[in-house]
Amino acid sequence: MWWLWACASKDMVFLEDAAAVAAFCGSASRSIQGDLVVGAAVHSIASLGCLEAVRGRLVVVGTQVESLEGLEHLAEVGGDVVIEQNPALQSLVGLDGLSGLGGSLFVGSNDGLKDLEGLSKIQEMEGEIFRSEEHTSELQSPCNLVCRLLLEKK
């Protein structure tokens, strides 16, 4: 994860543990001006329901989250969305409200990922789609621009 810190924005919000996640909506606005990074000690992001926009990147790497529930109100990410190395992650549900993506989508090494639901409302994406799940073609997902591209990039 050295690349993350090398490219981190000055307005980065780092949610390092359950306490930081729980306190976030009480102390922050509905929008983050920089990157949102979810730390390795986090097991749930369910209490992030206040979040509507991330102007930088959304990074969920190396966590123990089982789902992305809590991000349902997130409509826009200005940079990349990186969801990698989350062995307990079973679904992308929680990204249901995401309609715009200003960067690329990276999905990889999420061994428990069962489907790609949660990406169906993405209508605009500036970047590309990168994935490393060997079993991605077997996943059940809604048929939309993002999922079709994800499945076609083998």
Side-chain angles (χ1 to χ4, degrees):
M1 270 190 18
W2 63 269
W3 57 269
L4 172 64
W5 305 118
C7 302
S9 68
K10 68 176 184 154
D11 295 321
M12 179 180 79
V13 173
F14 179 53
L15 301 177
E16 59 195 284
D17 56 26
V21 172
F24 178 78
C25 283
S27 63
S29 69
R30 296 177 186 270
S31 177
I32 294 175
Q33 296 308 309
D35 299 338
L36 173 62
V37 179
V38 180
V42 175
H43 292 266
S44 172
I45 56 175
S47 61
L48 294 181
C50 65
L51 190 59
E52 296 176 356
V54 174
R55 303 290 178 225
R57 295 174 295 166
L58 170 63
V59 179
V60 183
V61 175
T63 71
Q64 297 304 312
V65 297
E66 292 181 9
S67 78
L68 299 179
E69 291 177 20
L71 296 177
E72 293 86 2
H73 296 103
L74 183 62
E76 248 182 83
V77 175
D80 298 331
V81 172
V82 182
I83 303 170
E84 295 185 333
Q85 301 173 10
N86 302 290
L89 185 64
Q90 298 176 18
S91 169
L92 299 179
V93 170
L95 293 178
D96 311 80
L98 188 60
S99 60
L101 182 55
S104 295
L105 173 66
F106 297 85
V107 177
S109 302
N110 301 296
D111 298 335
L113 190 61
K114 295 178 181 173
D115 61 46
L116 297 175
E117 275 196 58
L119 300 178
S120 63
K121 290 189 180 172
I122 297 177
Q123 299 298 315
E124 296 179 36
M125 184 182 329
E126 298 293 323
E128 297 185 43
I129 297 171
F130 301 92
R131 63 107 179 113
S132 66
E133 254 74 42
E134 292 179 14
H135 58 282
T136 301
S137 62
E138 300 169 12
L139 297 176
Q140 299 297 315
S141 67
C143 232
N144 63 56
L145 170 68
V146 173
C147 292
R148 276 198 311 272
L149 289 171
L150 192 64
L151 294 173
E152 289 172 3
K153 290 208 177 232
K154 275 195 134 180

